[in-house]
Amino acid sequence: MYFLSGWPKRLLCAPRGPAEAPLHVQSDPRRAFFAVLAPARLSIWYSRPSVLIVTYKEPAKSSAQFGSYKQAEWRPDSTMIAVSTANGYILFFHIASSRGDKYLYEPVYPNLQSVLEDLLVATSDGLLHLIHWEGMTNGRKAINLSTVPFSVDLQSSRVGSFLGFADVHIKDMEYCATLDGFAVVFNDGKVGFITPVSSRFTAEQLHGVWPQDVIDGTCVAVNNKYRLMAFGCASGSVQVYTIDNTTGAMLLSHKLELTAKQYPDIWNKTGAVKLIRWSPDNSAVIVTWEYGGLSLWSVFGAQLICTLGGDFAYRSDGTKKDPLKINSMSWGAEGYHLWVISGFGPQHAEIESDLRSIVKQPSILLFQFIKSVLTVNPCMSNQEQVLLQGEDRLYLNCGEASQTQNPKSSLARTDHMPNREKSPFADGGLESQGLSTLLGHRHWHVVQISSTYLESNWPIRFSAIDNLGQNIAVAGKFGFAHYSLLTKKWKLFGNITQEQNMIVTGGLAWWNDFMVLACYNLSDRQEELRLYLRTSNLDNAFAHVTRAPAETLLLSVFRDMVVVFRADCSICLYSIERKFDGSNITASVQVLQEVSMSRYIPHPFLVVSVTLTSVSTENGITLKMPQQARDAESIMLNLAGQLIMMQRDRSGPQIREKDSNPNQRKLVSKSLPFCPPVVLAQSVENVWTTCRANKQKRHLLEALWLSCGGAGMKVWLPLFPRDHRKPHSFLSQRIMLPFHINIYPLAVLFEDALVLGAVNDTVLYDSLYTRTSAREQLEVLFPFCVVERTSQIYLHHILRQLLVRNLGEQALLLAQSCAALPYFPHVLELMLHEVLEEEATSREPIPDPLLPTVAKFITEFPLFLQTVVHCARKTEYALWNYLFAAVGNPKDLFEECLMAQDLDTAASYLIILQNMEVPAVSRQHATLLFNTALEQGKWDLCRHMIRFLKAIGSGEAETPPSTPTAQEPSSSGGFEFFRNRSISLSQSAENVPPGKFNLQKTLSMPSGPSGKRWSKDSDCAENMYIDMMLWRHARRLLEDVRLKDLGCFSAQLGFELISWLCKERTRAARVDNFVVALKRLHKDFLWPFPIIPASSISSPFKNGKCRTVGEQLLKSQSADPFITPEMDAGISNIQRSQSWLSNIGPTHHDADIVSSPGPQMQDAFLSPLSNKGDECSIGSATDLTESSSMVDGDWTMVDENFSTLSLTQSELEHISMELASKGPHKSQVQLRYLLHIFMEAGCLDWCVVIGLILRESSVVSQILSIAQSSEMDGEMLQNIKTGLHAVDRWASTDCPGYKPFLNIIKPQLQKLSEITEEQVQPDTFQPITVGKTPEQSSPRAEESRGSSSRASISQSETGSNSAVSRKEEDTTQADEEEPFQDGAYDCCVS
């Protein structure tokens, strides 16, 4: 519609005194000149450029006689101006043009008071005078108003009530040509409409009607196109009336008034309405009040702009500005400008006295507007693009055309879009390429109109864009020009005479590569329909011209047909065909049909738009011919806001004609007669329809969309029987559904269920100017206005309207067809939320509530559980009972989530339960969820659940809190809960990526001290309860030989694995079946089974004297520098927790490295192979901290001395074979780490299993040396011996690759057998020392070291375990992913 742009301009007209200050502005009928009145001065200004042309100053003597000037009126041909004065004189001024130019005038209906060749003057004595423009009274006597009869309508008896007061006179009046009468406002506040009952204008022939409820009228303005009269009232509202065609009574159409909801501080304080002005195209009205301010409304009452709020009313420091007072205003050409004479408003009172003389004077301001192309060229309503036209530029919403052609680059473009526009639909790539292009980003694609064309053809009257959004055409005063967004070039007429010889009259449109336009040929004085090919030169030689019998007022294209509406009230249909004439492409136009509408249309100017559509009262299923669904079925005519439909009459015998020629048959179907018109809707501003077809979305594509101003939108929706069943004869096949949206609609995206629009936004720059600057700048008084693109979903409104009308089956069909849209979950949520808010907060009981129906409807979709919980989380607690009474018990919904394995949604329900149920119920459900999350390895959720369970059990009362609080407890010792989550309850579902509804919530914590009790207090029953669950889970993992999951579980949740393993050493931590355990580890860690190399017969490694390759390559030259007293179990715990995290970013690593104790900083020391005879330690291969950069298979860190070693060919072969039989590097690191854990906990049987898979003979040697010490459990040794024998038997039959390694450790195995045969006392082993020796905690102990060095470390060192493990939790919080999914790990081993 209309939008403010930029800052207003101030015109320089410095008056020399109060007698020359402007007080009234009036444009001529063509809006090329403006008459500006001062008390004793008449100035004529030119419109573009805005300059003063001539001034007449009244001499002092005559000025005293006439009085000051009050009001001006132009003669329809702009040759005279009549000026009324204070003392009752009317002065006539002749305007003589100095240039001999001939002006061309379009038919414009005369304005206020001027009746074609006569001037109607109302005087304060209650008389009406008819005065000829030459200054004569034509000999007619004046009409006394008190003799004109007034009644409620024209059907009343002739004896109407007379005004009957001696002092009643007309205060304001305006002539309405299309109603043939005067809208008047009397001085006592009554309003009315005076019309001559016959052609003669005498007192006997006049009759008045008035509405009985308006008693405070102040001013009036008339809209000729829509036959509306807008009366301003003293209350500040504007009442818009129309005349009933049958009775002649005045009917209230709608009101324009500010609401207390939108403007609470200014509501009812605006004063009386001062001025009302309709825009030149009659599509908008501007209103100003006594106390200042401007507001702009669409023709049927949608508010577009109001300057009484926001940046217009407040400065950037929050202080209030006084509104701009307006004395007079007038629209400029095509509505691009509004000329305003500002009043003496008090807004400059605080400015210094030396400035007051400048700014207190009234001045002429020019407000600049841009408008939608639909206001002047309604045929653009079948497009999906938004096109706005300004005075010298166009605004498009379809980005770069060069990129829209190529889908690949279009997708690339969406990646670079600013995030702001992606906000309503930020789910990534929207499915249709068209949608991503049309929604694109927030900024407009601005096209500057060719200055060469504008010079001689300003103002631009029409503009049009093609279907693909790649070409634009504009038409100004003469001719037209077009622009390609691909080449970024304008194409103008080569011959200027041809351009100046045509005037586009009825709009222009695109048909494929052709521009279709209706124009008037000046030289031939002939109305024509012309087609120009875009690719050829712009010249009449390449145009296809069809002569027309009358002036074309409107034009529209539907597929390969053009429909035109003419000034003789006839509609003509043409068919267009593309023809190839050799290498040239031309088009041929053929008249199909003419339909006369003069019976139904009182005046041709009243037709707002004409559209050809495939919409009909019968939907496609019941049509007799399949082709008809896509044919031009009906003509839609907007007659002054009434939408009229004329359908093809298919009842006659034409249908059964089986003509042999298919083309002939096609023409017959295209020229069928039309039925009489039917009124579909009232107060219609715009109509949208499409000629595309889509079987999946028939509801949306075969519907008719209407914009009805303040009443919102309407959709005429087809109803289809399900599964192509025969429809019920009593059911209508279409239904009209009204719905409200928050934006002014400019385009409808049919398949995407979106409305596109635009909205004014403002930016304040007043802070850049000081209060004492040279003069009060307009930049300070007004904000800078910009136009922003907007869009809105409408689907939930339509679904709701269908459910209200018990059309649930249709609603389901429609919703299922749109279920693939990225914002469909949000649609369901919006519908549920709106119905809930309305019904739950209603003061009156609702007889037939809709919420149960909506709830039942949503259960048809898989997103039901998420929709309900998201809606609840965004609704206040007081409404929850009402919601869950309709959708079901939250406990049941929680269990459904668990059954569906949707744990994140279940966690949301837990928060609902926590507020609605007693803590015992919350704990019970939280336990269920915690166990399931543990099973599925959802560690993030597990951490939240641990915290949640602690919060429930920390001393809160056994009643749910009255309102849910959303405070974030301090995470002093624990991990941060729900990191980076939004607390906002209004957060919409669009922000959640599709298919991944993360836990977007903050747990509602009970107020009180509960949030502070986070210490791992062993007395706390809650901690014990949680520990029991953790132990149970760890036991299950160990029993199922899921070591990988166990390590992950320990690291992610800070579980103290070593101390637990010590307790469970003889129970859950025993290995019952070595072979099964070995196979399971191979599978879990992707570790290949060993194979016997072909060369192993002559291999030097056959005898057990040589070490394994891994040991040789990565042997530590000396482990002694690492064996420091600080390397106790606690520090190893830190490294352990980090080692299982897979996706921690580098910044996290660095922070950890800096904050950790000394040994953490050590890098790996990799040394050349030594030929000493001692054995290598277990952990020597992985003495890597996180700061080192060892990657899979990266052996290059070995010292360069390695190249000097002499290895034989067979040794090299064996080395390569050995490397090939190892698993992934990450698995190796993890296995060595687990080995270290089990060793420290004394679970030697597990150590043996891991030693086997790593094929480390040193492990068995280490176990042996432990066994030789007196603290070894005999039962465990027996278990190890039995297990190894079982592995030996299994290797002999199933996996011979293990035999060489088993042969190497045979001597140790025999030693083990000897030890087990001795009697070992079970109580000699004391499990109180959890931590082992330093040598074992960083398992680099050399075998040669005796058992004497293995003294137990003190209890104090062991105690540091728990302190550090708390620290681990902080390191784990950064890990948002499931660490063991993708096989990418960053691990370290101490």
Side-chain angles (χ1 to χ4, degrees):
M1 202 32 87
Y2 275 74
F3 306 97
L4 270 175
S5 172
W7 279 298
K9 296 175 185 169
R10 182 186 268 129
L11 298 185
L12 294 170
C13 59
R16 296 184 185 84
E20 297 181 13
L23 57 88
H24 180 83
V25 61
Q26 182 71 43
S27 69
D28 78 325
R30 292 191 307 116
R31 302 185 193 272
F33 298 100
F34 287 82
V36 177
L37 290 186
R41 185 180 182 132
L42 169 66
S43 311
I44 306 294
W45 288 71
Y46 194 59
S47 172
R48 176 189 161 98
S50 307
V51 290
L52 180 62
I53 303 171
V54 63
T55 301
Y56 170 82
K57 191 177 177 190
E58 192 69 49
K61 185 180 176 186
S62 53
S63 182
Q65 178 192 349
F66 299 145
S68 59
Y69 294 170
K70 289 292 173 199
Q71 206 178 352
E73 186 60 45
W74 287 82
R75 188 168 168 163
D77 60 2
S78 301
T79 56
M80 289 181 83
I81 299 177
V83 176
S84 64
T85 66
N87 295 348
Y89 288 87
I90 293 179
L91 310 177
F92 291 90
F93 295 88
H94 279 276
I95 310 289
S97 173
S98 57
R99 301 185 294 173
D101 297 3
K102 287 191 173 122
Y103 287 101
L104 284 147
Y105 301 109
E106 290 178 67
V108 173
Y109 295 95
N111 281 19
L112 170 72
Q113 295 181 330
S114 110
V115 189
L116 301 177
E117 283 306 305
D118 292 325
L119 197 64
L120 185 71
V121 180
T123 53
S124 57
D125 53 5
L127 297 179
L128 279 174
H129 306 268
L130 259 182
I131 299 175
H132 198 272
W133 271 102
E134 302 306 325
M136 298 172 293
T137 56
N138 297 352
R140 295 181 192 169
K141 63 177 184 188
I143 298 162
N144 194 335
L145 283 177
S146 58
T147 64
V148 175
F150 273 82
S151 58
V152 177
D153 58 43
L154 291 177
Q155 285 182 332
S156 310
S157 61
R158 184 78 187 96
V159 192
S161 62
F162 296 95
L163 290 174
F165 304 111
D167 57 348
V168 168
H169 64 267
I170 290 175
K171 186 163 70 171
D172 192 13
M173 65 177 174
E174 187 165 343
Y175 177 65
C176 180
T178 51
L179 286 172
D180 191 25
F182 290 87
V184 294
V185 178
F186 297 105
N187 60 328
D188 63 350
K190 288 196 173 72
V191 301
F193 179 72
I194 300 175
T195 180
V197 260
S198 75
S199 56
R200 296 200 55 211
F201 197 84
T202 60
E204 295 76 38
Q205 299 301 328
L206 288 183
H207 191 280
V209 288
W210 58 11
Q212 291 170 306
D213 49 354
V214 180
I215 51 165
D216 61 346
T218 56
C219 57
V220 65
V222 162
N223 185 327
N224 278 302
K225 197 169 197 68
Y226 288 89
R227 300 173 101 179
L228 297 174
M229 296 168 281
F231 294 99
C233 302
S235 65
S237 70
V238 175
Q239 310 224 16
V240 184
Y241 280 86
T242 185
I243 296 287
D244 186 343
N245 288 336
T246 50
T247 64
M250 289 178 70
L251 298 176
L252 180 68
S253 168
H254 57 279
K255 287 185 181 182
L256 311 178
E257 52 189 354
L258 304 178
T259 60
K261 189 178 174 185
Q262 288 174 299
Y263 300 95
D265 52 343
I266 200 72
W267 180 63
N268 266 349
K269 299 176 193 165
T270 56
V273 175
K274 188 170 186 180
L275 295 168
I276 306 171
R277 294 285 181 269
W278 289 95
S279 64
D281 54 27
N282 292 293
S283 62
V285 63
I286 198 153
V287 177
T288 182
W289 294 275
E290 205 68 53
Y291 298 151
L294 269 180
S295 65
L296 184 69
W297 310 73
S298 78
V299 63
F300 288 111
Q303 189 186 310
L304 303 169
I305 299 163
C306 182
T307 65
L308 293 176
D311 290 343
F312 287 100
Y314 295 92
R315 298 184 184 89
S316 51
D317 58 4
T319 54
K320 201 165 181 347
K321 291 189 267 196
D322 285 307
L324 170 79
K325 292 201 175 179
I326 293 172
N327 287 342
S328 177
M329 59 183 177
S330 183
W331 284 95
E334 294 295 324
Y336 294 130
H337 293 118
L338 181 74
W339 289 58
V340 164
I341 292 183
S342 59
F344 293 91
Q347 66 259 39
H348 314 298
E350 63 243 36
I351 299 185
E352 279 66 24
S353 54
D354 57 319
L355 303 173
R356 197 168 297 155
S357 58
I358 302 172
V359 290
K360 275 201 70 175
Q361 295 156 355
S363 55
I364 304 174
L365 299 180
L366 253 67
F367 286 89
Q368 301 170 75
F369 287 89
I370 57 179
K371 61 179 183 175
S372 164
V373 65
L374 294 175
T375 58
V376 283
N377 200 17
C379 72
M380 294 305 296
S381 65
N382 55 10
Q383 305 285 65
E384 295 196 343
Q385 291 92 0
V386 175
L387 179 62
L388 305 182
Q389 61 187 51
E391 177 182 28
D392 58 354
R393 66 197 64 190
L394 300 167
Y395 296 78
L396 283 86
N397 74 326
C398 48
E400 299 287 333
S402 54
Q403 292 174 332
T404 59
Q405 268 196 336
N406 177 357
K408 284 185 189 167
S409 59
S410 162
L411 290 171
R413 203 175 109 254
T414 53
D415 298 338
H416 302 302
M417 290 167 189
N419 257 346
R420 291 173 64 203
E421 173 57 8
K422 281 194 167 187
S423 66
F425 322 103
D427 298 331
L430 297 173
E431 290 186 357
S432 70
Q433 185 211 334
L435 184 57
S436 63
T437 309
L438 292 166
L439 283 177
H441 41 70
R442 195 162 282 231
H443 306 291
W444 296 94
H445 185 73
V446 182
V447 176
Q448 198 76 32
I449 297 172
S450 160
S451 55
T452 315
Y453 181 74
L454 276 178
E455 266 172 31
S456 50
N457 299 298
W458 186 89
I460 296 299
R461 290 158 53 243
F462 303 105
S463 58
I465 188 167
D466 68 350
N467 276 318
L468 296 171
Q470 293 175 5
N471 299 290
I472 310 170
V474 295
K477 195 156 82 176
F478 301 107
F480 74 100
H482 64 90
Y483 176 82
S484 164
L485 276 87
L486 293 169
T487 61
K488 305 225 177 345
K489 284 182 181 171
W490 281 94
K491 197 176 269 192
L492 276 62
F493 272 96
N495 186 340
I496 192 80
T497 317
Q498 290 184 3
E499 177 185 88
Q500 298 295 309
N501 206 19
M502 65 182 279
I503 300 177
V504 176
T505 56
L508 72 163
W510 286 88
W511 176 72
N512 298 337
D513 264 359
F514 289 87
M515 278 147 290
V516 184
L517 49 95
C519 65
Y520 178 66
N521 186 331
L522 292 172
S523 59
D524 297 354
R525 300 194 174 184
Q526 174 65 48
E527 300 288 343
E528 295 173 344
L529 180 71
R530 294 190 187 181
L531 272 77
Y532 289 85
L533 181 63
R534 175 183 66 82
T535 49
S536 63
N537 288 339
L538 204 47
D539 194 289
N540 290 347
F542 301 106
H544 183 283
V545 180
T546 307
R547 295 200 160 202
E551 181 188 357
T552 302
L553 299 179
L554 290 164
L555 166 150
S556 179
V557 173
F558 174 83
R559 293 209 178 89
D560 54 355
M561 293 169 77
V562 177
V563 57
V564 298
F565 176 76
R566 301 205 182 110
D568 59 1
C569 293
S570 67
I571 292 175
C572 184
L573 272 67
Y574 296 93
S575 73
I576 325 174
E577 225 177 308
R578 184 193 291 259
K579 289 204 168 172
F580 297 92
D581 178 16
S583 58
N584 298 331
I585 302 172
T586 58
S588 72
V589 175
Q590 190 179 354
V591 178
L592 285 177
Q593 201 171 356
E594 290 211 30
V595 186
S596 175
M597 298 290 293
S598 49
R599 286 169 54 199
Y600 312 109
I601 297 174
H603 200 293
F605 186 64
L606 296 173
V607 178
V608 180
S609 70
V610 60
T611 317
L612 209 54
T613 75
S614 54
V615 170
S616 66
T617 49
E618 293 193 332
N619 56 42
I621 291 174
T622 55
L623 287 175
K624 297 171 187 170
M625 292 166 60
Q627 177 61 31
Q628 288 164 212
R630 294 197 304 278
D631 274 348
E633 277 302 302
S634 55
I635 292 175
M636 298 284 172
L637 207 69
N638 185 349
L639 178 65
Q642 263 196 345
L643 187 66
I644 294 171
M645 179 175 83
M646 292 192 309
Q647 285 194 92
R648 296 247 188 228
D649 184 2
R650 294 191 177 270
S651 58
Q654 301 95 322
I655 298 163
R656 285 178 288 279
E657 275 187 32
K658 295 206 169 155
D659 202 307
S660 55
N661 182 353
N663 287 335
Q664 184 66 28
R665 194 160 63 235
K666 196 173 169 190
L667 280 178
V668 167
S669 77
K670 280 186 176 181
S671 54
L672 285 174
F674 286 92
C675 301
V678 181
V679 176
L680 286 184
Q682 303 279 358
S683 306
V684 175
E685 293 180 7
N686 287 314
V687 183
W688 290 274
T689 170
T690 181
C691 55
R692 290 202 309 279
N694 181 340
K695 280 185 182 175
Q696 274 69 46
K697 297 189 178 177
R698 291 190 60 190
H699 279 95
L700 297 178
L701 281 166
E702 293 181 25
L704 189 73
W705 305 88
L706 315 175
S707 155
C708 300
M713 287 186 77
K714 290 181 181 173
V715 56
W716 201 36
L717 201 69
L719 303 178
F720 299 110
R722 197 159 194 176
D723 307 325
H724 300 283
R725 290 185 296 228
K726 193 170 186 297
H728 296 296
S729 54
F730 56 85
L731 272 184
S732 166
Q733 296 190 3
R734 279 188 177 268
I735 188 168
M736 188 71 80
L737 303 174
F739 60 93
H740 274 275
I741 60 169
N742 302 327
I743 63 175
Y744 189 85
L746 296 177
V748 176
L749 300 186
F750 304 96
E751 286 105 330
D752 300 304
L754 278 177
V755 172
L756 301 184
V759 67
N760 253 121
D761 200 4
T762 49
V763 187
L764 276 175
Y765 286 97
D766 56 356
S767 54
L768 303 179
Y769 297 88
T770 57
R771 300 308 295 272
T772 55
S773 58
R775 61 196 176 86
E776 185 83 334
Q777 303 276 356
L778 285 174
E779 290 86 341
V780 179
L781 292 175
F782 297 99
F784 185 81
C785 293
V786 290
V787 183
E788 297 231 322
R789 294 163 52 177
T790 55
S791 58
Q792 196 174 336
I793 305 168
Y794 57 72
L795 196 56
H796 58 291
H797 295 298
I798 299 176
L799 295 176
R800 180 180 171 180
Q801 292 288 344
L802 287 170
L803 293 175
V804 166
R805 290 161 174 76
N806 289 325
L807 293 168
E809 194 174 83
Q810 297 293 326
L812 196 59
L813 282 173
L814 174 57
Q816 283 166 348
S817 72
C818 296
L821 290 172
Y823 35 83
F824 183 71
H826 185 52
V827 168
L828 296 180
E829 200 179 314
L830 275 174
M831 179 166 68
L832 184 62
H833 185 78
E834 284 178 10
V835 173
L836 171 66
E837 290 271 318
E838 273 177 39
E839 294 189 357
T841 56
S842 168
R843 294 180 182 179
E844 306 294 322
I846 298 166
D848 188 16
L850 186 62
L851 191 64
T853 316
V854 171
K856 191 178 174 193
F857 176 77
I858 295 174
T859 53
E860 296 286 335
F861 298 92
L863 298 162
F864 165 66
L865 295 165
Q866 284 106 309
T867 304
V868 169
V869 79
H870 288 166
C871 178
R873 295 297 311 284
K874 293 170 190 172
T875 312
E876 54 184 295
Y877 172 69
L879 310 184
W880 284 5
N881 285 328
Y882 190 85
L883 172 66
F884 288 105
V887 298
N889 190 319
K891 288 189 275 194
D892 300 339
L893 300 175
F894 173 86
E895 284 160 22
E896 277 184 53
C897 290
L898 280 188
M899 285 166 64
Q901 301 290 308
D902 187 356
L903 303 192
D904 288 338
T905 308
S908 297
Y909 278 106
L910 205 53
I911 291 153
I912 308 285
L913 287 170
Q914 184 209 1
N915 285 286
M916 294 182 75
E917 303 284 349
V918 293
V921 175
S922 304
R923 184 186 296 111
Q924 179 191 349
H925 287 80
T927 308
L928 269 174
L929 180 58
F930 184 42
N931 284 330
T932 316
L934 282 174
E935 274 304 312
Q936 295 191 9
K938 297 272 181 81
W939 307 120
D940 207 26
L941 185 56
C942 291
R943 285 197 290 274
H944 306 334
M945 294 315 303
I946 290 173
R947 179 176 167 197
F948 183 73
L949 284 164
K950 285 181 179 175
I952 289 178
S954 43
E956 65 178 7
E958 285 290 304
T959 53
S962 56
T963 54
T965 56
Q967 67 189 50
E968 178 86 15
S970 60
S971 51
S972 52
F975 22 74
E976 213 172 272
F977 193 35
F978 296 125
R979 288 173 71 246
N980 307 324
R981 298 291 188 227
S982 167
I983 305 172
S984 161
L985 287 183
S986 62
Q987 179 187 10
S988 60
E990 303 112 69
N991 296 334
V992 184
K996 186 175 178 184
F997 283 86
N998 279 336
L999 210 59
Q1000 306 250 347
K1001 61 187 70 69
T1002 309
L1003 273 189
S1004 309
M1005 296 298 302
S1007 48
S1010 59
K1012 299 186 180 78
R1013 298 180 56 178
W1014 287 100
S1015 60
K1016 297 208 171 190
D1017 187 1
S1018 56
D1019 318 336
C1020 177
E1022 279 311 314
N1023 286 349
M1024 193 64 195
Y1025 179 63
I1026 293 164
D1027 286 346
M1028 291 287 285
M1029 284 193 283
L1030 294 173
W1031 294 342
R1032 190 167 65 225
H1033 184 65
R1035 196 174 296 122
R1036 194 179 302 125
L1037 292 177
L1038 213 47
E1039 283 167 0
D1040 296 347
V1041 199
R1042 287 161 59 189
L1043 287 200
K1044 193 167 192 173
D1045 293 344
L1046 182 70
C1048 205
F1049 160 73
S1050 158
Q1052 290 284 353
L1053 300 184
F1055 181 68
E1056 294 172 7
L1057 194 53
I1058 295 175
S1059 56
W1060 179 78
L1061 284 172
C1062 285
K1063 283 187 268 183
E1064 294 288 330
R1065 185 163 44 201
T1066 56
R1067 297 192 294 267
R1070 276 191 55 174
V1071 182
D1072 296 329
N1073 188 327
F1074 272 61
V1075 177
V1076 171
L1078 196 61
K1079 285 181 179 173
R1080 183 68 195 250
L1081 287 184
H1082 270 291
K1083 183 181 169 189
D1084 273 7
F1085 288 93
L1086 306 173
W1087 201 269
F1089 285 100
I1091 50 172
I1092 297 181
S1095 60
S1096 63
I1097 317 301
S1098 58
S1099 167
F1101 295 90
K1102 229 178 344 190
N1103 51 13
K1105 290 176 189 168
C1106 292
R1107 295 168 301 259
T1108 60
V1109 181
E1111 296 166 25
Q1112 281 189 328
L1113 286 179
L1114 294 169
K1115 167 95 176 70
S1116 293
Q1117 195 164 19
S1118 163
D1120 292 332
F1122 291 105
I1123 301 169
T1124 54
E1126 302 111 274
M1127 289 203 65
D1128 61 347
I1131 291 165
S1132 70
N1133 267 351
I1134 296 173
Q1135 297 178 327
R1136 173 186 42 166
S1137 70
Q1138 290 163 349
S1139 68
W1140 291 88
L1141 299 182
S1142 59
N1143 294 324
I1144 300 180
T1147 52
H1148 186 75
H1149 288 194
D1150 300 344
D1152 283 341
I1153 290 163
V1154 171
S1155 62
S1156 302
Q1160 185 75 2
M1161 293 290 289
Q1162 299 277 4
D1163 277 338
F1165 281 79
L1166 294 167
S1167 56
L1169 286 166
S1170 61
N1171 292 324
K1172 289 186 213 164
D1174 56 0
E1175 291 288 331
C1176 159
S1177 76
I1178 307 170
S1180 59
T1182 47
D1183 296 333
L1184 309 173
T1185 60
E1186 297 206 15
S1187 52
S1188 65
S1189 61
M1190 188 156 182
V1191 292
D1192 293 352
D1194 185 1
W1195 301 101
T1196 55
M1197 296 163 71
V1198 180
D1199 197 289
E1200 62 273 3
N1201 291 342
F1202 179 64
S1203 56
T1204 61
L1205 292 172
S1206 53
L1207 285 173
T1208 64
Q1209 182 67 29
S1210 58
E1211 282 175 330
L1212 283 170
E1213 278 179 19
H1214 199 90
I1215 286 169
S1216 61
M1217 182 60 69
E1218 190 89 12
L1219 288 175
S1221 64
K1222 283 196 183 300
H1225 173 68
K1226 303 268 181 200
S1227 299
Q1228 187 176 353
V1229 173
Q1230 290 167 351
L1231 282 166
R1232 288 184 182 285
Y1233 168 74
L1234 282 170
L1235 175 61
H1236 158 62
I1237 294 289
F1238 284 119
M1239 187 69 82
E1240 204 164 303
C1243 301
L1244 299 184
D1245 39 3
W1246 275 112
C1247 296
V1248 170
V1249 174
I1250 298 172
L1252 278 173
I1253 197 170
L1254 289 171
R1255 299 202 292 291
E1256 299 268 5
S1257 58
S1258 56
V1259 178
V1260 184
S1261 311
Q1262 219 169 357
I1263 291 161
L1264 215 67
S1265 55
I1266 293 169
Q1268 284 167 352
S1269 66
S1270 60
E1271 42 184 62
M1272 191 64 219
D1273 185 358
E1275 196 179 328
M1276 185 182 285
L1277 286 179
Q1278 188 61 44
N1279 189 31
I1280 292 171
K1281 191 181 87 169
T1282 318
L1284 284 172
H1285 281 307
V1287 170
D1288 194 35
R1289 288 195 298 277
W1290 166 75
S1292 305
T1293 56
D1294 292 355
C1295 186
Y1298 264 113
K1299 289 300 280 183
F1301 177 69
L1302 290 169
N1303 290 338
I1304 291 172
I1305 60 167
K1306 228 170 204 169
Q1308 283 94 330
L1309 198 54
Q1310 284 165 353
K1311 253 190 217 174
L1312 191 67
S1313 302
E1314 291 164 16
I1315 295 168
T1316 49
E1317 281 159 14
E1318 297 169 13
Q1319 189 62 33
V1320 181
Q1321 297 298 329
D1323 56 348
T1324 53
F1325 180 70
Q1326 304 297 328
I1328 51 163
T1329 55
V1330 174
K1332 294 287 161 198
T1333 61
E1335 290 85 358
Q1336 282 173 317
S1337 60
S1338 72
R1340 294 184 179 79
E1342 302 291 318
E1343 265 206 340
S1344 54
R1345 299 171 77 92
S1347 61
S1348 59
S1349 65
R1350 293 189 173 83
S1352 301
I1353 47 176
S1354 66
Q1355 275 297 109
S1356 63
E1357 282 183 308
T1358 317
S1360 67
N1361 258 353
S1362 60
V1364 179
S1365 62
R1366 238 167 278 135
K1367 208 188 229 173
E1368 288 168 29
E1369 296 171 349
D1370 290 326
T1371 68
T1372 57
Q1373 71 188 11
D1375 188 25
E1376 297 271 355
E1377 305 292 327
E1378 296 179 23
F1380 268 14
Q1381 256 181 349
D1382 53 359
Y1385 321 103
D1386 289 326
C1387 300
C1388 71
V1389 171
S1390 60

